[in-house]
Amino acid sequence: MDPILAPLNDKQREAVQHTDGALLLLAGAGSGKTRVITHRFAYILKEKHLRLSNILAVTFTNKAASEMKNRISQLVKYDVSGAWIRTFHSMGMMILKKNPEAMGYPKEFVIYDDTDSKNLIRTIMKELQINTESFNPAGVAEKISSLKDNLISPDDFEKMRSSSFDDIAFKVFGEYERNLRKNKALDFPDLIGLPIRILSKNQDILNFYQDLWPYMMVDEFQDTNSAQYKLINLIGSKNKNICVVGDDDQSIYGWRGANVDNIYDFESRYQAKVIALEQNYRSTSVILSAANSVVSKISGRMEKKLWTEKKEGEKIRLIEVTTDRDEARMIVDQIKRFSQKYEYQDFAVFYRTNAQSRIFEESLLSENIPYKIFGGQKFYERKEIKDILAYIKQIVNPFDSASFDRIINVPKRKIGEASQIKIKQLANERNISFIEALLAADEIPQIQKNTVPVIKELGQILLELNQSMDKITPTNFVKILLDAIHYRNYILDFDQDGLDRWSNVEELINSIKEYEEGNPEAFVADFINEVTLQTSVDGLAEDQNRNYVSLMTIHNAKGLEFPVVFICGVVDGLLPHASSSFSQREMNEERRLFYVAITRAKENLFLSYPENRFNYGELMSCLPSPFLKDIPEDLLEHIFKKSSKPAGFVKNTASYRKKTLDKGDKKEIEEYEEENIPEFTGKEQAVQSLSEINQGDKIIHKRFGRGKVTFVSDKFIKVDFEEFGVQNMSGNFLANIRAVKDD
């Protein structure tokens, strides 16, 4: 058998050999989708006798693209580093770099990352005298990014406005776009939106890319947004040899624009063949049975059922505790217990929100267990790295306003805000670059004479580097820059972490050298655009050999796997999150999020929930996540760990508390609730919103029975229950209460 096909199972082999026509590959969690993509790429190269450049493979991270290239090289036995295996944004950038005249930009445009965009928007709001206390610049930036992801222009948005926030966003949006163009800069959405505009309006350019890529593959298709799907459709509509690989069950990024409907649309639009990869190579059958049960409750999903040839495995352990602090202690106890069999790097703790990490950090520290939080500040987001990248951007594009604002006083030059404004005004009035404006500082009468030489010296450094950026290697370029601005002395004097910060600078030099060796023809302008495209998850696996427990949100866990996984805080209000209370679409995504978390576990899975947790300084009662009810009881092993009675349970609770806190007997608890908690009779009124609840209202709760509301805020309510005293309630509790009509 062909060595490319030999390692594959039947379904994988079918997918690889289906080369012509549209293919929707439903790749379940742990089903070997990367293997299929890479083997399919190699198989098409061989069978169709194509050039390396004739296949386009698109994914979401540079890490995934690099892994694909390495695997394909091993299969075809030659270097494929020049293949078109790229992220969406990298592909868009290359189209723009080859066709700058079609978008009216110079070839040396710069790319603004999210921080650059937010800073520019904050500056614009300040100039427009918009109150940033009332209208958060980050929120405005997110709105504008979402509009651009959906290919909505400022003119389009003007007709769509429906609130005062929209009015503010509209004002900023137009100015933001004008500033980008003036700065010769693009943001991330532009890297998709502008290629769409170019290809839509220039048939010759569209024909070129359609002929260049007769075969296309798209990874993680469930994560594509509207613009990304449109770009794929434009290029692939001619040959229709498109293979999209994804899993609607793992679509968890709707909050940032991903549209799970793209998968359903693709099947009907292209009359695509559908192949489901259901054999899982990661988890035990017990874990997969639980995952299948959870996700099967989503109506309209594409049918698939994960299975494995592995042994059944350990039951899923459900940890039930009194408080969230007890939960953290219990999980750490389990890590200590299992550390006799596993290394610390085999453990991962997942949570729904970053705020949940603190008590786990404290518990791990108290036991001297090493850990690392993923999702914190990334390498390219650190101050010293952002400083140097801003200098490079300013040199590559002397019209870049955002970079100018960052570097003008780094290192400190005592150039006041008034002088900065005058320099920028001169640049605007004369339509010259900021470098030229710096060199003309002596022509600005408002600038103090003793400051002029400092300003002109900076301008001269930037000018000389700008004139030589195509003549020296990227590594030498950055070293010369650092020496010229005395950055090492500045950073060592900056604060007590100066040595650590300089170590980061040295690591940046290392990364530039690696880039240079892999791209011998590249200059510093190429490097700065590539590094700006780095995604937040690319560094996630950098230290995989380090022996520590991994802590992360479930969103950050996607694509990873661990022998032992703890999913904590599985309570209503966290999972599903309170923000998804009334939207079925959002509830479905929360359910998929739980499914993704479950399928990260290879051998042992722990689920945990506290009966009470602190929120906004108040001890809140928690109900187990409704998703837990979907896991068959025979898959679970209950672990009860009850601490002393928490504050808040003050009335007539002896019999119930004795069962729940001391014995933890599930059957007795259910019997007690059946006997003592009144059922909804149909006479009560459903509560749809917190605005419908007022202090003094009488309610009935599924678990706590009858009570009277004593406090209401926009976050939670306090209820004095006849049987259980005062309880604080937040999250998705509205589905569990009814308003009691006056007798």
Side-chain angles (χ1 to χ4, degrees):
M1 182 182 288
D2 187 330
I4 294 176
L5 300 175
L8 309 176
N9 66 36
D10 290 344
K11 285 293 184 182
Q12 292 173 335
R13 195 173 298 122
E14 182 184 359
V16 167
Q17 291 181 298
H18 183 85
T19 57
D20 295 324
L23 172 64
L24 170 54
L25 187 59
L26 284 176
S31 62
K33 72 177 178 67
T34 304
R35 169 178 285 194
V36 176
I37 295 172
T38 53
H39 282 247
R40 191 172 185 273
F41 193 109
Y43 185 80
I44 293 174
L45 269 180
K46 176 183 175 184
E47 291 297 310
K48 301 296 181 179
H49 306 290
L50 297 175
R51 296 195 306 273
L52 194 59
S53 59
N54 290 144
I55 307 175
L56 172 67
V58 189
T59 186
F60 275 84
T61 71
N62 292 304
K63 176 175 171 282
S66 177
E67 182 181 351
M68 287 181 193
K69 287 181 180 180
N70 289 336
R71 290 200 192 186
I72 294 168
S73 291
Q74 292 171 7
L75 286 169
V76 299
K77 309 301 182 186
Y78 58 84
D79 180 31
V80 300
S81 58
W84 277 90
I85 303 173
R86 291 179 170 269
T87 65
F88 271 100
H89 291 108
S90 178
M91 177 186 72
M93 183 184 74
M94 294 306 295
I95 292 175
L96 296 176
K97 292 285 280 187
K98 290 182 180 297
N99 304 279
E101 69 288 342
M103 64 168 176
Y105 267 69
K107 191 175 181 181
E108 290 76 24
F109 62 82
V110 295
I111 301 168
Y112 280 8
D113 62 15
D114 290 340
T115 303
D116 296 328
S117 295
K118 287 174 185 175
N119 288 340
L120 177 56
I121 285 170
R122 187 177 288 106
T123 299
I124 291 169
M125 292 177 70
K126 185 177 179 181
E127 291 173 349
L128 293 176
Q129 297 184 329
I130 295 171
N131 188 337
T132 54
E133 295 293 327
S134 302
F135 299 97
N136 184 2
V140 175
E142 185 176 332
K143 177 71 173 182
I144 291 172
S145 179
S146 176
L147 290 168
K148 296 182 72 169
D149 279 338
N150 286 283
L151 305 176
I152 298 171
S153 68
D155 290 341
D156 297 330
F157 184 46
E158 183 177 17
K159 305 162 192 171
M160 299 166 53
R161 291 176 291 162
S162 60
S163 66
S164 58
F165 179 81
D166 283 355
D167 293 338
I168 294 297
F170 168 70
K171 289 180 183 177
V172 176
F173 193 2
E175 282 300 310
Y176 175 70
E177 292 294 275
R178 282 187 282 275
N179 273 269
L180 283 179
R181 185 160 285 275
K182 183 176 70 174
N183 294 347
K184 297 178 175 57
L186 306 176
D187 61 12
F188 276 9
D190 285 331
L191 298 180
I192 308 297
L194 284 178
I196 289 173
R197 193 182 308 170
I198 290 172
L199 297 176
S200 299
K201 294 182 177 181
N202 298 271
Q203 190 61 45
D204 290 345
I205 298 176
L206 177 60
N207 289 340
F208 171 80
Y209 287 107
Q210 287 177 334
D211 293 339
L212 177 64
W213 299 318
Y215 291 89
M216 298 173 59
M217 286 190 283
V218 185
D219 189 18
E220 302 286 9
F221 191 65
Q222 77 280 346
D223 295 336
T224 54
N225 61 28
S226 300
Q228 289 160 342
Y229 188 25
K230 184 167 185 176
L231 181 58
I232 291 300
N233 284 331
L234 272 170
I235 298 170
S237 59
K238 179 177 181 180
N239 298 292
K240 295 185 172 60
N241 296 323
I242 310 176
C243 170
V244 299
V245 184
D247 180 8
D248 56 327
D249 291 340
Q250 297 187 74
S251 179
I252 61 173
Y253 296 114
W255 51 276
R256 69 181 189 195
N259 188 354
V260 67
D261 292 336
N262 289 348
I263 281 186
Y264 310 136
D265 178 79
F266 181 85
E267 181 185 8
S268 57
R269 179 185 296 228
Y270 287 95
Q271 298 300 300
K273 180 180 179 66
V274 180
I275 298 176
L277 300 181
E278 299 171 296
Q279 183 174 359
N280 177 282
Y281 294 91
R282 175 186 299 153
S283 307
T284 65
S285 61
V286 166
I287 292 170
L288 296 182
S289 295
N292 287 329
S293 297
V294 166
V295 82
S296 66
K297 302 299 188 295
I298 298 176
S299 60
R301 63 182 283 268
M302 303 190 82
E303 278 301 316
K304 71 191 81 68
K305 188 173 183 179
L306 297 179
W307 62 275
T308 182
E309 293 179 344
K310 287 187 175 184
K311 62 183 180 180
E312 186 176 85
E314 300 282 345
K315 284 191 174 185
I316 296 167
R317 297 168 178 88
L318 180 59
I319 299 174
E320 301 160 86
V321 294
T322 305
T323 69
D324 47 0
R325 186 162 291 281
D326 295 328
E327 180 183 33
R329 290 173 182 149
M330 186 64 173
I331 287 176
V332 171
D333 285 345
Q334 294 297 321
I335 291 173
K336 288 169 62 180
R337 175 187 164 207
F338 277 78
S339 64
Q340 298 175 11
K341 178 181 178 182
Y342 295 99
E343 299 291 327
Y344 286 134
Q345 65 190 11
D346 295 328
F347 297 96
V349 179
F350 299 159
Y351 33 79
R352 179 62 179 82
T353 65
N354 277 308
Q356 292 170 257
S357 71
R358 180 183 59 83
I359 56 175
F360 291 96
E361 289 186 74
E362 292 176 359
S363 294
L364 289 165
L365 281 169
S366 68
E367 297 294 336
N368 293 317
I369 296 176
Y371 70 89
K372 182 173 181 179
I373 295 180
F374 291 98
Q377 192 177 39
K378 303 297 188 298
F379 180 77
Y380 288 105
E381 295 171 0
R382 294 167 185 165
K383 177 201 179 312
E384 55 275 16
I385 305 303
K386 297 286 286 183
D387 286 347
I388 299 167
L389 297 185
Y391 262 101
I392 298 172
K393 288 180 179 180
Q394 184 71 77
I395 294 164
V396 170
N397 175 12
F399 293 86
D400 182 2
S401 171
S403 295
F404 176 82
D405 290 339
R406 185 174 188 103
I407 71 167
I408 186 68
N409 268 314
V410 175
K412 293 179 181 179
R413 298 184 176 90
K414 298 182 180 180
I415 302 173
E417 185 176 353
S419 296
Q420 295 176 40
I421 293 172
K422 291 299 179 183
I423 294 169
K424 294 177 76 171
Q425 285 177 346
L426 180 67
N428 290 332
E429 290 167 3
R430 297 188 183 180
N431 195 26
I432 58 177
S433 72
F434 290 116
I435 293 179
E436 293 171 292
L438 289 169
L439 291 171
D442 54 355
E443 300 175 32
I444 304 174
Q446 294 89 344
I447 293 181
Q448 296 180 0
K449 289 185 178 180
N450 61 340
T451 310
V452 169
V454 178
I455 296 173
K456 295 189 71 170
E457 179 187 17
L458 173 61
Q460 190 62 36
I461 291 170
L462 299 179
L463 176 65
E464 291 177 6
L465 285 167
N466 174 268
Q467 292 173 341
S468 61
M469 65 181 182
D470 292 339
K471 301 180 180 67
I472 55 180
T473 65
T475 305
N476 286 336
F477 178 93
V478 176
K479 286 183 176 180
I480 292 169
L481 166 64
L482 294 172
D483 287 342
I485 63 174
H486 307 292
Y487 193 79
R488 187 176 188 276
N489 292 338
Y490 161 71
I491 208 66
L492 291 178
D493 294 338
F494 186 76
D495 60 24
Q496 61 184 8
D497 297 324
L499 282 173
D500 289 338
R501 291 183 180 277
W502 183 249
S503 295
N504 291 332
V505 175
E506 292 176 329
E507 185 59 32
L508 175 65
I509 298 294
N510 294 339
S511 71
I512 295 172
K513 186 64 177 178
E514 289 175 9
Y515 173 80
E516 183 182 305
E517 290 175 349
N519 302 270
E521 302 298 320
F523 292 105
V524 73
D526 302 298
F527 168 78
I528 193 63
N529 282 331
E530 282 290 335
V531 81
T532 308
L533 296 178
Q534 294 290 331
T535 61
S536 63
V537 296
D538 279 339
L540 202 57
E542 288 174 358
D543 301 329
Q544 284 291 303
N545 294 322
R546 294 283 298 277
N547 198 22
Y548 48 65
V549 176
S550 298
L551 274 59
M552 67 189 74
T553 65
I554 302 173
H555 283 100
N556 278 333
K558 188 171 179 292
L560 303 177
E561 59 182 41
F562 298 89
V564 186
V565 165
F566 298 87
I567 307 173
C568 66
V570 189
V571 298
D572 202 356
L574 282 176
L575 193 64
H577 197 270
S579 62
S580 59
S581 301
F582 307 114
S583 163
Q584 189 59 51
R585 188 179 182 89
E586 290 179 350
M587 282 292 284
N588 285 343
E589 181 157 316
E590 292 291 309
R591 184 179 289 278
R592 292 194 295 266
L593 190 63
F594 188 39
Y595 167 83
V596 165
I598 290 172
T599 54
R600 302 308 97 194
K602 298 169 69 174
E603 299 169 14
N604 287 277
L605 174 63
F606 292 78
L607 309 175
S608 65
Y609 71 87
E611 290 183 336
N612 309 274
R613 58 185 294 269
F614 276 95
N615 192 12
Y616 301 101
E618 299 280 351
L619 188 68
M620 303 291 187
S621 291
C622 302
L623 290 175
S625 169
F627 300 155
L628 288 175
K629 297 177 183 177
D630 301 326
I631 300 177
E633 184 63 33
D634 62 351
L635 301 179
L636 298 173
E637 174 188 330
H638 291 264
I639 301 177
F640 294 91
K641 181 72 172 179
K642 303 299 182 181
S643 68
S644 58
K645 183 170 62 179
F649 291 82
V650 295
K651 277 190 180 179
N652 303 324
T653 61
S655 61
Y656 183 80
R657 286 293 101 193
K658 183 172 179 59
K659 292 177 171 65
T660 58
L661 293 182
D662 300 333
K663 293 182 65 176
D665 189 310
K666 192 171 189 291
K667 183 178 179 181
E668 289 189 43
I669 293 170
E670 291 173 350
E671 288 176 355
Y672 177 85
E673 290 178 343
E674 287 176 7
E675 294 171 4
N676 294 278
I677 304 301
E679 294 291 326
F680 294 157
T681 65
K683 296 180 181 179
E684 302 87 4
Q685 294 177 334
V687 180
Q688 301 296 330
S689 168
L690 268 174
S691 63
E692 299 176 25
I693 302 177
N694 298 300
Q695 187 173 334
D697 285 356
K698 296 176 182 178
I699 66 166
I700 184 172
H701 187 280
K702 278 185 177 180
R703 180 173 178 182
F704 297 116
R706 295 180 181 276
K708 185 176 181 179
V709 178
T710 61
F711 177 79
V712 181
S713 77
D714 61 349
K715 300 290 186 184
F716 66 93
I717 65 173
K718 288 185 179 181
V719 182
D720 189 355
F721 289 101
E722 295 173 1
E723 179 73 10
F724 296 102
V726 177
Q727 304 295 320
N728 300 303
M729 314 189 79
S730 67
N732 292 297
F733 65 88
L734 295 179
N736 298 305
I737 68 173
R738 296 287 188 274
V740 178
K741 299 176 183 177
D742 291 332
D743 297 331

